[in-house]
Amino acid sequence: MATKIQKTGITRERGWLYYLDKKGDVSRTRMARGGGRAAKGKPQCIAKVGVKREDGFLYFIDTDGDVAKTKMARPGSRRASSRRAPKRAPRRTSARGRTKSTRRARR
C-alpha cells in the first residue's frame, strides 16, 4: 500500500510523463508515443517539493496528483524462503553403484 508524502494536486495532461526528478521535485516531459507528435524539449518542473528519498522505496505521482511512496518489491524474495529449507540427502544407488542408465549403456 502506498503512503502519500506530499500533496501537490497536479492535474495530468494527455501526452506527458510525470515523474519525481533527482532534486525531489515533480517534473514532466513529452512522451515518445501516445500523445500525438512529440516536440523535443527540456523537462518542465511542475512543483517544487524537495522530497528526500529513502533506500528501498519507489516514489511516484499517484492518481490524485500527489507524491507517494511504496516499498520496492525485491526480486527473489519469494524464492528465498524455499532456499533456506534443509536439503535432502542424495538417493543411494545399488551396492555396485550402477544406475539404470549405466546398465543400458553396457548392453
Side-chain angles (χ1 to χ4, degrees):
M1 196 64 167
T3 58
K4 289 192 182 199
I5 303 297
Q6 185 75 30
K7 288 194 175 193
T8 57
I10 296 170
T11 55
R12 295 177 181 226
E13 293 180 34
R14 191 171 184 182
W16 292 89
L17 174 71
Y18 293 85
Y19 63 96
L20 211 63
D21 62 7
K22 290 182 181 180
K23 296 176 187 175
D25 302 329
V26 178
S27 295
R28 74 177 185 173
T29 188
R30 277 285 191 189
M31 282 191 186
R33 297 179 183 88
R37 293 275 305 174
K40 295 286 181 180
K42 291 185 179 180
Q44 300 172 357
C45 183
I46 302 299
K48 299 270 185 187
V49 182
V51 173
K52 302 289 182 194
R53 295 179 189 242
E54 294 179 48
D55 286 339
F57 286 93
L58 174 73
Y59 292 83
F60 61 97
I61 313 303
D62 63 4
T63 55
D64 299 329
D66 302 329
V67 179
K69 76 174 182 177
T70 186
K71 194 144 178 89
M72 272 197 218
R74 297 294 181 179
S77 61
R78 224 180 326 139
R79 290 179 288 165
S81 60
S82 64
R83 287 183 186 164
R84 291 184 199 137
K87 293 185 178 181
R88 286 192 259 161
R91 291 179 89 185
R92 292 183 173 242
T93 57
S94 64
R96 291 184 180 172
R98 292 184 186 165
T99 60
K100 289 182 180 180
S101 60
T102 56
R103 269 189 258 145
R104 287 184 192 145
R106 291 184 183 197
R107 287 185 184 177

XYZ file of all heavy atoms in Angstrom:
844
model
N 0.832 -1.163 0.000
C 0.000 0.000 0.000
C 0.886 1.238 0.000
O 1.869 1.307 0.727
C -0.885 -0.045 1.243
C -2.044 0.865 1.193
S -3.121 0.339 -0.129
C -4.535 1.269 0.232
N 0.535 2.201 -0.794
C 1.337 3.417 -0.920
C 0.934 4.437 0.140
O -0.225 4.508 0.546
C 1.149 4.012 -2.305
N 1.914 5.220 0.571
C 1.650 6.302 1.511
C 1.950 7.630 0.832
O 2.955 7.753 0.128
C 2.519 6.170 2.769
O 3.883 6.158 2.382
C 2.194 4.903 3.524
N 1.084 8.607 1.068
C 1.282 9.921 0.461
C 2.361 10.672 1.227
O 2.357 10.726 2.449
C -0.011 10.712 0.462
C -1.012 10.162 -0.506
C -2.161 11.088 -0.722
C -3.130 10.418 -1.683
N -4.029 11.321 -2.308
N 3.268 11.294 0.475
C 4.359 12.048 1.072
C 4.035 13.537 1.080
O 4.183 14.214 2.083
C 5.671 11.810 0.280
C 5.997 10.326 0.223
C 6.811 12.589 0.867
C 6.249 9.703 1.552
N 3.600 14.043 -0.069
C 3.346 15.469 -0.235
C 2.123 15.659 -1.119
O 2.010 15.029 -2.162
C 4.567 16.129 -0.878
C 4.509 17.610 -1.005
C 4.739 18.322 0.313
O 5.450 17.816 1.156
N 4.112 19.451 0.486
N 1.230 16.554 -0.738
C 0.067 16.859 -1.577
C 0.443 17.968 -2.540
O 0.900 19.029 -2.131
C -1.112 17.290 -0.722
C -1.727 16.158 0.059
C -3.059 16.545 0.609
C -3.682 15.326 1.271
N -5.087 15.538 1.549
N 0.284 17.701 -3.832
C 0.572 18.701 -4.858
C -0.660 19.016 -5.691
O -0.790 20.122 -6.188
C 1.704 18.234 -5.790
O 1.347 16.993 -6.364
C 3.010 18.105 -5.031
N -1.561 18.055 -5.856
C -2.803 18.272 -6.593
C -2.597 18.578 -8.062
O -3.325 19.376 -8.646
N -1.643 17.942 -8.693
C -1.352 18.164 -10.111
C -2.436 17.511 -10.960
O -2.847 16.382 -10.708
C 0.019 17.567 -10.472
C 1.108 18.298 -9.714
C 0.273 17.611 -11.956
C 2.452 17.642 -9.803
N -2.905 18.232 -11.979
C -3.839 17.629 -12.945
C -3.021 17.222 -14.163
O -2.292 18.038 -14.731
C -4.927 18.637 -13.365
O -4.309 19.816 -13.855
C -5.825 18.974 -12.203
N -3.138 15.976 -14.520
C -2.341 15.438 -15.616
C -2.944 15.801 -16.966
O -4.154 15.812 -17.128
C -2.250 13.923 -15.506
C -1.505 13.472 -14.287
C -1.538 11.963 -14.225
N -0.852 11.503 -13.051
C 0.039 10.509 -13.066
N 0.312 9.887 -14.185
N 0.627 10.138 -11.966
N -2.062 16.032 -17.922
C -2.476 16.273 -19.296
C -2.054 15.085 -20.148
O -1.036 14.449 -19.868
C -1.836 17.546 -19.834
C -2.321 18.805 -19.163
C -1.652 20.041 -19.725
O -1.359 20.054 -20.941
O -1.410 20.972 -18.950
N -2.804 14.836 -21.181
C -2.519 13.705 -22.061
C -1.242 13.966 -22.857
O -1.013 15.085 -23.326
C -3.684 13.501 -23.011
C -3.596 12.224 -23.756
C -4.854 11.962 -24.512
N -4.742 10.654 -25.131
C -5.644 10.131 -25.899
N -6.752 10.774 -26.146
N -5.465 8.937 -26.428
N -0.410 12.914 -23.002
C 0.813 13.019 -23.782
C 2.028 13.439 -22.989
O 3.111 13.610 -23.551
N 1.892 13.593 -21.676
C 3.004 13.985 -20.820
C 3.325 12.881 -19.826
O 2.439 12.190 -19.341
C 2.673 15.261 -20.048
C 2.561 16.477 -20.895
C 1.442 16.941 -21.516
C 3.613 17.367 -21.245
N 1.723 18.077 -22.213
C 3.051 18.373 -22.061
C 4.969 17.442 -20.937
C 3.801 19.411 -22.583
C 5.714 18.487 -21.447
C 5.134 19.458 -22.261
N 4.608 12.734 -19.491
C 5.069 11.774 -18.496
C 5.464 12.560 -17.255
O 6.332 13.429 -17.317
C 6.272 10.984 -19.018
C 6.942 10.051 -18.024
C 6.035 8.860 -17.748
C 8.277 9.576 -18.549
N 4.819 12.265 -16.126
C 5.078 12.956 -14.863
C 5.942 12.066 -13.976
O 5.678 10.874 -13.842
C 3.757 13.280 -14.166
C 2.947 14.308 -14.917
C 2.104 13.925 -15.962
C 3.017 15.643 -14.594
C 1.369 14.863 -16.662
C 2.287 16.592 -15.288
C 1.471 16.190 -16.317
O 0.759 17.134 -17.015
N 6.956 12.655 -13.339
C 7.879 11.876 -12.518
C 8.525 12.761 -11.462
O 8.411 13.990 -11.493
C 8.943 11.211 -13.399
C 9.826 12.189 -14.133
C 11.058 12.559 -13.631
C 9.421 12.745 -15.341
C 11.862 13.465 -14.301
C 10.213 13.635 -16.024
C 11.434 13.996 -15.492
O 12.233 14.895 -16.162
N 9.218 12.132 -10.533
C 9.973 12.824 -9.495
C 11.415 12.895 -9.959
O 12.050 11.859 -10.187
C 9.858 12.031 -8.197
C 9.901 12.805 -6.899
C 8.714 13.738 -6.828
C 9.913 11.882 -5.724
N 11.965 14.096 -10.118
C 13.331 14.229 -10.644
C 14.372 14.040 -9.542
O 14.033 13.730 -8.394
C 13.502 15.563 -11.378
C 13.310 16.771 -10.474
O 13.177 16.592 -9.245
O 13.283 17.897 -11.005
N 15.644 14.223 -9.887
C 16.741 13.977 -8.949
C 16.720 14.912 -7.741
O 17.177 14.566 -6.670
C 18.081 14.117 -9.669
C 18.352 13.010 -10.640
C 19.698 13.176 -11.286
C 19.960 12.078 -12.284
N 21.262 12.227 -12.929
N 16.179 16.098 -7.920
C 16.113 17.063 -6.820
C 14.932 16.804 -5.890
O 14.808 17.431 -4.843
C 15.994 18.482 -7.379
C 17.194 18.911 -8.173
C 16.967 20.279 -8.765
C 18.097 20.658 -9.694
N 17.837 21.938 -10.372
N 14.044 15.894 -6.283
C 12.864 15.587 -5.482
C 11.668 16.425 -5.853
O 10.690 16.475 -5.113
N 11.723 17.104 -7.001
C 10.611 17.923 -7.477
C 9.826 17.162 -8.538
O 10.346 16.253 -9.176
C 11.130 19.235 -8.082
C 11.947 20.037 -7.082
O 11.661 19.939 -5.871
O 12.873 20.755 -7.506
N 8.571 17.556 -8.749
C 7.734 16.920 -9.767
C 8.010 17.591 -11.106
O 7.925 18.810 -11.226
C 6.245 17.037 -9.412
C 5.383 16.414 -10.491
C 5.964 16.385 -8.072
N 8.377 16.781 -12.092
C 8.653 17.289 -13.435
C 7.818 16.539 -14.446
O 7.244 15.489 -14.144
C 10.136 17.112 -13.775
O 10.925 17.908 -12.931
N 7.781 17.081 -15.662
C 7.084 16.392 -16.730
C 7.858 16.584 -18.030
O 8.564 17.572 -18.207
C 5.655 16.881 -16.893
C 5.511 18.235 -17.530
C 4.064 18.585 -17.717
N 3.937 19.843 -18.452
C 2.807 20.338 -18.884
N 1.682 19.692 -18.653
N 2.773 21.470 -19.543
N 7.711 15.601 -18.925
C 8.329 15.649 -20.238
C 7.389 14.990 -21.235
O 6.522 14.206 -20.849
C 9.715 14.971 -20.227
O 10.353 15.190 -21.463
C 9.604 13.481 -19.975
N 7.550 15.303 -22.505
C 6.700 14.728 -23.538
C 6.958 13.238 -23.675
O 8.115 12.801 -23.639
C 6.972 15.390 -24.889
C 6.254 16.678 -25.081
C 4.823 16.388 -25.355
N 4.135 17.578 -25.804
C 2.840 17.632 -25.942
N 2.107 16.585 -25.671
N 2.266 18.721 -26.343
N 5.889 12.470 -23.846
C 6.029 11.032 -24.083
C 6.514 10.794 -25.504
O 6.189 11.561 -26.410
C 4.697 10.330 -23.888
C 4.324 10.101 -22.483
S 2.909 8.993 -22.453
C 2.544 9.007 -20.742
N 7.252 9.726 -25.678
C 7.752 9.377 -27.005
C 6.618 8.870 -27.892
O 6.629 9.076 -29.095
C 8.843 8.324 -26.908
N 5.630 8.213 -27.292
C 4.500 7.674 -28.043
C 3.207 7.983 -27.304
O 3.206 8.168 -26.108
C 4.618 6.154 -28.171
C 5.824 5.716 -28.934
C 5.851 4.188 -28.987
N 7.022 3.723 -29.660
C 8.179 3.489 -29.083
N 8.335 3.700 -27.800
N 9.195 3.036 -29.781
N 2.117 7.980 -28.023
C 0.814 8.053 -27.394
C 0.227 9.433 -27.227
O -0.922 9.557 -26.856
N 0.957 10.481 -27.509
C 0.409 11.809 -27.308
C 0.446 12.656 -28.553
O 0.612 13.866 -28.481
N 0.335 12.046 -29.699
C 0.435 12.804 -30.948
C 1.897 13.056 -31.290
O 2.787 12.328 -30.875
N 2.176 14.110 -32.031
C 3.555 14.448 -32.392
C 4.278 14.961 -31.159
O 3.831 15.910 -30.516
C 3.587 15.534 -33.469
C 3.051 15.125 -34.799
C 3.963 14.455 -35.713
N 5.209 15.095 -36.051
C 6.104 14.480 -36.775
N 5.863 13.260 -37.199
N 7.225 15.056 -37.088
N 5.382 14.338 -30.839
C 6.151 14.739 -29.663
C 7.162 15.810 -30.052
O 8.006 15.598 -30.915
C 6.862 13.533 -29.069
N 7.038 16.982 -29.453
C 8.003 18.053 -29.684
C 9.165 17.861 -28.722
O 8.967 17.660 -27.522
C 7.344 19.404 -29.455
N 10.382 17.885 -29.249
C 11.559 17.729 -28.406
C 11.699 18.963 -27.519
O 11.494 20.086 -27.955
C 12.814 17.567 -29.259
C 12.834 16.307 -30.093
C 13.101 15.112 -29.241
C 13.133 13.857 -30.090
N 13.370 12.679 -29.348
N 12.032 18.742 -26.291
C 12.207 19.859 -25.378
C 12.741 19.380 -24.043
O 12.819 18.183 -23.767
N 13.094 20.335 -23.210
C 13.613 20.011 -21.885
C 12.450 19.689 -20.946
O 11.337 20.172 -21.137
C 14.382 21.200 -21.339
C 15.671 21.461 -22.071
C 16.434 22.571 -21.409
C 17.745 22.821 -22.144
N 18.513 23.897 -21.509
N 12.718 18.897 -19.904
C 11.668 18.629 -18.919
C 11.257 19.915 -18.202
O 12.070 20.799 -17.964
C 12.332 17.664 -17.939
C 13.499 17.107 -18.657
C 13.921 18.120 -19.654
N 9.985 19.991 -17.852
C 9.465 21.156 -17.144
C 9.250 20.803 -15.680
O 8.685 19.753 -15.368
C 8.123 21.573 -17.740
C 8.177 21.936 -19.184
C 6.777 22.155 -19.752
O 5.787 21.983 -19.061
N 6.733 22.525 -21.018
N 9.688 21.677 -14.782
C 9.448 21.486 -13.355
C 8.043 22.001 -13.060
O 7.730 23.165 -13.298
C 10.491 22.225 -12.538
S 10.308 21.949 -10.782
N 7.183 21.127 -12.538
C 5.793 21.471 -12.281
C 5.595 21.968 -10.849
O 4.922 22.960 -10.618
C 4.883 20.252 -12.536
C 5.037 19.769 -13.963
C 3.440 20.563 -12.235
C 4.658 20.783 -14.999
N 6.185 21.264 -9.868
C 6.013 21.626 -8.464
C 7.320 21.420 -7.711
O 7.967 20.383 -7.858
C 4.913 20.788 -7.838
N 7.702 22.403 -6.923
C 8.897 22.297 -6.077
C 8.477 21.599 -4.784
O 7.738 22.149 -3.975
C 9.451 23.681 -5.748
C 9.882 24.464 -6.955
C 11.320 24.193 -7.246
C 11.755 25.089 -8.400
N 13.073 24.770 -8.846
N 8.936 20.366 -4.633
C 8.543 19.574 -3.471
C 9.742 19.315 -2.572
O 9.654 19.441 -1.358
C 7.891 18.236 -3.909
C 7.448 17.436 -2.716
C 6.730 18.497 -4.833
N 10.882 18.932 -3.157
C 12.094 18.672 -2.384
C 12.014 17.427 -1.525
O 12.396 17.452 -0.356
N 11.537 16.322 -2.093
C 11.400 15.065 -1.357
C 12.781 14.447 -1.139
O 13.584 14.356 -2.063
C 10.500 14.079 -2.139
C 10.479 12.712 -1.486
C 9.107 14.626 -2.260
N 13.054 14.040 0.092
C 14.289 13.311 0.412
C 13.976 11.829 0.274
O 13.093 11.297 0.949
C 14.758 13.604 1.840
C 14.999 15.067 2.112
C 16.224 15.536 1.394
C 16.454 17.015 1.744
N 17.394 17.642 0.871
N 14.720 11.156 -0.590
C 14.438 9.749 -0.867
C 15.098 8.818 0.148
O 16.186 9.090 0.619
C 14.926 9.384 -2.264
C 14.192 10.111 -3.356
C 14.763 9.713 -4.691
N 14.238 10.533 -5.748
C 13.513 10.060 -6.755
N 13.262 8.791 -6.848
N 13.074 10.877 -7.681
N 14.428 7.701 0.413
C 14.968 6.645 1.262
C 15.267 5.435 0.394
O 14.583 5.198 -0.601
C 13.944 6.226 2.316
C 13.611 7.279 3.335
C 12.572 6.776 4.315
O 12.736 5.658 4.843
O 11.592 7.497 4.527
N 16.271 4.670 0.765
C 16.600 3.454 0.030
C 15.497 2.419 0.225
O 14.910 2.305 1.297
C 17.924 2.857 0.504
C 19.112 3.667 0.023
O 18.951 4.405 -0.957
O 20.190 3.559 0.630
N 15.198 1.666 -0.836
C 14.217 0.592 -0.769
C 12.792 1.030 -1.030
O 11.870 0.237 -0.862
N 12.582 2.291 -1.423
C 11.239 2.781 -1.708
C 11.149 3.284 -3.134
O 12.112 3.813 -3.678
C 10.854 3.910 -0.744
C 10.535 3.429 0.629
C 11.506 3.390 1.610
C 9.258 2.995 0.948
C 11.218 2.939 2.880
C 8.955 2.550 2.211
C 9.935 2.512 3.189
N 9.970 3.133 -3.727
C 9.671 3.613 -5.065
C 8.783 4.838 -4.928
O 7.740 4.782 -4.280
C 8.949 2.528 -5.861
C 8.444 2.927 -7.235
C 9.629 3.063 -8.188
C 7.464 1.918 -7.755
N 9.189 5.955 -5.518
C 8.447 7.207 -5.448
C 7.753 7.458 -6.782
O 8.343 7.255 -7.829
C 9.396 8.357 -5.123
C 9.954 8.262 -3.719
C 11.057 7.459 -3.443
C 9.366 8.947 -2.680
C 11.554 7.356 -2.155
C 9.858 8.859 -1.396
C 10.950 8.059 -1.135
O 11.428 7.958 0.137
N 6.496 7.914 -6.735
C 5.724 8.122 -7.949
C 4.652 9.178 -7.712
O 4.393 9.586 -6.575
C 5.085 6.809 -8.426
C 4.119 6.203 -7.442
C 2.758 6.419 -7.569
C 4.575 5.417 -6.399
C 1.867 5.867 -6.679
C 3.692 4.870 -5.497
C 2.334 5.088 -5.630
N 4.030 9.626 -8.810
C 2.921 10.566 -8.747
C 1.637 9.737 -8.849
O 1.427 9.048 -9.845
C 2.976 11.594 -9.901
C 4.374 12.171 -10.060
C 1.935 12.681 -9.710
C 4.935 12.837 -8.849
N 0.786 9.783 -7.832
C -0.404 8.936 -7.827
C -1.545 9.555 -8.635
O -1.370 10.600 -9.264
C -0.845 8.606 -6.391
C -1.262 9.832 -5.601
O -1.283 10.937 -6.163
O -1.573 9.665 -4.404
N -2.704 8.897 -8.631
C -3.827 9.330 -9.464
C -4.396 10.675 -9.036
O -5.000 11.380 -9.842
C -4.954 8.283 -9.449
O -5.322 8.032 -8.091
C -4.510 7.001 -10.109
N -4.202 11.059 -7.781
C -4.677 12.358 -7.303
C -3.701 13.485 -7.634
O -3.995 14.642 -7.361
C -4.895 12.320 -5.787
C -5.929 11.292 -5.378
O -6.858 11.061 -6.179
O -5.814 10.724 -4.284
N -2.532 13.148 -8.170
C -1.525 14.149 -8.488
C -0.616 14.461 -7.320
O 0.081 15.472 -7.321
N -0.584 13.585 -6.320
C 0.263 13.775 -5.151
C 1.468 12.840 -5.217
O 1.443 11.829 -5.917
C -0.534 13.491 -3.875
C -1.762 14.373 -3.754
O -1.711 15.516 -4.245
O -2.765 13.920 -3.176
N 2.512 13.180 -4.468
C 3.718 12.348 -4.425
C 3.482 11.242 -3.403
O 3.065 11.509 -2.273
C 4.958 13.172 -4.040
C 6.184 12.299 -3.972
C 5.163 14.305 -5.027
N 3.737 9.993 -3.792
C 3.535 8.843 -2.922
C 4.747 7.936 -2.981
O 5.571 8.040 -3.885
C 2.287 8.079 -3.341
N 4.857 7.057 -1.987
C 5.951 6.079 -1.979
C 5.414 4.730 -1.550
O 4.420 4.646 -0.826
C 7.089 6.513 -1.064
C 6.843 6.354 0.409
C 8.087 6.683 1.207
C 7.840 6.467 2.688
N 9.040 6.706 3.468
N 6.090 3.679 -2.017
C 5.749 2.313 -1.640
C 7.030 1.510 -1.556
O 8.035 1.857 -2.186
C 4.753 1.686 -2.632
O 4.355 0.413 -2.142
C 5.363 1.512 -4.002
N 7.012 0.454 -0.775
C 8.199 -0.388 -0.613
C 8.452 -1.150 -1.897
O 7.527 -1.667 -2.508
C 7.995 -1.353 0.541
C 9.251 -2.029 1.005
C 9.202 -2.209 2.497
C 10.424 -2.930 3.006
N 11.488 -2.018 3.335
N 9.715 -1.187 -2.318
C 10.057 -1.876 -3.566
C 9.957 -3.378 -3.407
O 10.313 -3.921 -2.365
C 11.491 -1.531 -3.978
C 11.606 -0.313 -4.796
S 13.203 -0.304 -5.592
C 13.585 1.412 -5.485
N 9.466 -4.021 -4.445
C 9.421 -5.483 -4.480
C 10.791 -5.961 -4.925
O 11.253 -5.620 -6.013
C 8.347 -5.964 -5.442
N 11.445 -6.711 -4.097
C 12.774 -7.217 -4.420
C 12.658 -8.550 -5.133
O 11.946 -9.442 -4.670
C 13.615 -7.384 -3.149
C 13.876 -6.086 -2.434
C 14.740 -5.224 -3.287
N 15.026 -3.974 -2.603
C 15.778 -3.043 -3.102
N 16.310 -3.192 -4.293
N 15.998 -1.932 -2.452
N 13.365 -8.722 -6.246
C 13.282 -9.998 -6.964
C 13.892 -11.132 -6.141
O 14.910 -10.950 -5.484
C 14.071 -9.751 -8.243
C 14.966 -8.614 -7.930
C 14.256 -7.786 -6.901
N 13.236 -12.280 -6.169
C 13.759 -13.454 -5.489
C 13.344 -13.560 -4.040
O 13.739 -14.490 -3.356
N 12.567 -12.639 -3.521
C 12.173 -12.713 -2.115
C 11.237 -13.900 -1.865
O 11.219 -14.460 -0.790
C 11.504 -11.415 -1.677
O 10.350 -11.187 -2.428
N 10.463 -14.258 -2.882
C 9.566 -15.405 -2.746
C 10.370 -16.701 -2.681
O 10.055 -17.616 -1.945
C 8.621 -15.447 -3.946
C 7.215 -15.723 -3.571
C 6.288 -15.757 -4.748
N 6.653 -14.829 -5.808
C 6.593 -15.107 -7.095
N 6.160 -16.270 -7.491
N 6.932 -14.231 -7.998
N 11.435 -16.758 -3.461
C 12.223 -17.983 -3.536
C 13.182 -18.125 -2.365
O 13.656 -19.199 -2.067
C 13.017 -18.013 -4.836
C 12.138 -18.202 -6.039
C 12.969 -18.199 -7.276
N 13.425 -16.821 -7.507
C 14.387 -16.491 -8.333
N 15.019 -17.394 -9.000
N 14.731 -15.231 -8.504
N 13.496 -17.052 -1.679
C 14.493 -17.092 -0.610
C 14.065 -18.024 0.507
O 14.891 -18.726 1.093
C 14.727 -15.692 -0.069
N 12.769 -18.067 0.840
C 12.308 -18.921 1.922
C 12.449 -20.394 1.554
O 12.749 -21.224 2.410
C 10.859 -18.601 2.275
O 10.038 -18.818 1.151
N 12.255 -20.742 0.285
C 12.378 -22.139 -0.114
C 13.843 -22.572 -0.162
O 14.154 -23.742 0.014
C 11.721 -22.371 -1.473
O 12.400 -21.637 -2.474
N 14.751 -21.641 -0.378
C 16.171 -21.992 -0.403
C 16.708 -22.318 0.983
O 17.654 -23.064 1.133
C 16.982 -20.839 -0.984
C 16.816 -20.669 -2.452
C 17.693 -19.574 -2.942
N 17.416 -19.314 -4.351
C 17.792 -18.244 -4.991
N 18.482 -17.313 -4.375
N 17.499 -18.071 -6.257
N 16.096 -21.749 1.999
C 16.569 -21.967 3.363
C 16.155 -23.323 3.913
O 16.648 -23.745 4.944
C 16.031 -20.862 4.269
C 16.641 -19.534 3.982
C 16.152 -18.497 4.945
N 16.393 -17.177 4.390
C 15.549 -16.179 4.424
N 14.382 -16.319 4.998
N 15.848 -15.018 3.892
N 15.240 -24.010 3.244
C 14.778 -25.312 3.712
C 15.939 -26.299 3.646
O 16.770 -26.257 2.743
C 13.630 -25.796 2.837
N 16.039 -27.205 4.613
C 17.143 -28.172 4.611
C 17.060 -29.084 3.392
O 15.980 -29.513 2.992
C 16.943 -28.950 5.907
C 15.520 -28.724 6.290
C 15.147 -27.398 5.745
N 18.211 -29.357 2.835
C 18.261 -30.211 1.650
C 18.245 -31.672 2.063
O 18.822 -32.063 3.076
C 19.517 -29.918 0.838
C 19.496 -28.536 0.234
C 20.677 -28.332 -0.646
C 20.623 -26.951 -1.281
N 21.738 -26.730 -2.162
N 17.587 -32.483 1.235
C 17.546 -33.915 1.494
C 18.856 -34.552 1.064
O 19.544 -34.063 0.168
C 16.415 -34.557 0.719
C 15.065 -34.254 1.304
C 14.034 -35.136 0.674
N 13.313 -34.372 -0.343
C 12.612 -34.899 -1.313
N 12.537 -36.186 -1.445
N 11.997 -34.133 -2.179
N 19.173 -35.684 1.671
C 20.363 -36.431 1.289
C 20.138 -37.043 -0.091
O 19.008 -37.390 -0.446
C 20.636 -37.523 2.309
N 21.198 -37.197 -0.895
C 21.022 -37.781 -2.233
C 20.588 -39.241 -2.142
O 20.914 -39.942 -1.178
C 22.405 -37.643 -2.860
C 23.340 -37.450 -1.738
C 22.575 -36.811 -0.627
N 19.859 -39.704 -3.162
C 19.403 -41.100 -3.185
C 20.587 -42.035 -3.356
O 21.506 -41.757 -4.113
C 18.427 -41.306 -4.337
C 17.114 -40.602 -4.115
C 16.226 -40.814 -5.284
N 15.437 -42.034 -5.075
C 14.626 -42.549 -5.969
N 14.510 -41.996 -7.143
N 13.927 -43.623 -5.701
N 20.490 -43.138 -2.653
C 21.565 -44.130 -2.773
C 21.299 -45.034 -3.965
O 20.169 -45.395 -4.241
C 21.659 -44.971 -1.513
C 22.141 -44.183 -0.334
C 22.287 -45.101 0.857
N 22.900 -44.363 1.927
C 24.075 -44.698 2.442
N 24.726 -45.746 2.013
N 24.572 -43.988 3.432
N 22.344 -45.400 -4.629
C 22.215 -46.330 -5.754
C 22.435 -47.743 -5.248
O 22.623 -47.965 -4.053
C 23.246 -45.987 -6.844
O 24.541 -46.018 -6.270
C 22.968 -44.611 -7.414
N 22.449 -48.721 -6.132
C 22.641 -50.110 -5.718
C 24.040 -50.310 -5.145
O 24.891 -49.432 -5.198
C 22.417 -51.036 -6.909
O 23.399 -50.772 -7.886
N 24.296 -51.461 -4.614
C 25.557 -51.746 -3.931
C 26.755 -51.572 -4.861
O 27.823 -51.172 -4.445
C 25.530 -53.163 -3.364
N 26.592 -51.900 -6.151
C 27.701 -51.791 -7.088
C 27.874 -50.360 -7.595
O 28.834 -50.056 -8.269
C 27.477 -52.719 -8.267
C 27.569 -54.160 -7.904
C 27.438 -54.974 -9.142
N 27.525 -56.392 -8.855
C 27.297 -57.324 -9.727
N 26.942 -56.993 -10.952
N 27.411 -58.584 -9.409
N 26.887 -49.506 -7.333
C 26.991 -48.131 -7.779
C 26.461 -47.909 -9.189
O 26.709 -46.884 -9.799
N 25.756 -48.934 -9.707
C 25.211 -48.811 -11.048
C 23.830 -48.156 -10.996
O 23.072 -48.374 -10.063
C 25.072 -50.172 -11.714
C 26.367 -50.823 -12.030
C 26.101 -52.115 -12.762
N 27.344 -52.837 -12.947
C 27.398 -54.095 -13.292
N 26.287 -54.770 -13.488
N 28.554 -54.679 -13.466
N 23.510 -47.435 -12.031
C 22.166 -46.891 -12.179
C 21.579 -47.485 -13.434
O 22.248 -48.196 -14.189
C 22.207 -45.349 -12.294
O 22.981 -45.008 -13.427
C 22.800 -44.724 -11.039
N 20.325 -47.176 -13.714
C 19.665 -47.702 -14.891
C 20.370 -47.279 -16.160
O 20.501 -48.047 -17.110
C 18.213 -47.266 -14.928
C 17.353 -47.919 -13.898
C 15.926 -47.472 -14.025
C 15.071 -48.151 -12.979
N 13.669 -47.731 -13.072
N 20.835 -46.054 -16.195
C 21.472 -45.568 -17.423
C 22.793 -46.278 -17.709
O 23.114 -46.550 -18.849
C 21.698 -44.057 -17.330
O 22.536 -43.776 -16.220
N 23.551 -46.628 -16.672
C 24.829 -47.323 -16.917
C 24.570 -48.772 -17.334
O 25.317 -49.325 -18.115
C 25.729 -47.275 -15.672
O 25.038 -47.809 -14.565
C 26.174 -45.858 -15.390
N 23.523 -49.409 -16.819
C 23.208 -50.761 -17.224
C 22.825 -50.810 -18.697
O 23.232 -51.689 -19.413
C 22.072 -51.324 -16.394
C 22.556 -52.058 -15.172
C 21.434 -52.779 -14.492
N 21.079 -51.965 -13.336
C 19.875 -51.812 -12.857
N 18.860 -52.408 -13.408
N 19.671 -51.067 -11.808
N 22.042 -49.844 -19.139
C 21.644 -49.808 -20.553
C 22.847 -49.579 -21.446
O 22.935 -50.118 -22.544
C 20.640 -48.701 -20.776
C 19.292 -49.009 -20.220
C 18.326 -47.915 -20.558
N 17.114 -48.080 -19.790
C 16.374 -47.107 -19.319
N 16.686 -45.868 -19.580
N 15.296 -47.355 -18.623
N 23.765 -48.768 -21.021
C 24.920 -48.442 -21.842
C 25.818 -49.675 -22.018
O 26.481 -49.823 -23.050
C 25.710 -47.309 -21.221
N 25.877 -50.555 -21.044
C 26.762 -51.715 -21.137
C 26.211 -52.807 -22.011
O 26.929 -53.668 -22.468
C 27.019 -52.271 -19.729
C 27.860 -51.344 -18.909
C 28.177 -51.941 -17.597
N 28.946 -50.975 -16.801
C 29.639 -51.278 -15.771
N 29.671 -52.522 -15.349
N 30.294 -50.372 -15.110
N 24.906 -52.836 -22.245
C 24.304 -53.907 -23.050
C 24.649 -53.798 -24.469
O 24.913 -53.038 -25.190
C 22.800 -53.906 -22.879
C 22.419 -54.415 -21.541
C 20.916 -54.503 -21.469
N 20.550 -54.905 -20.123
C 19.340 -55.029 -19.705
N 18.337 -54.763 -20.495
N 19.074 -55.402 -18.492
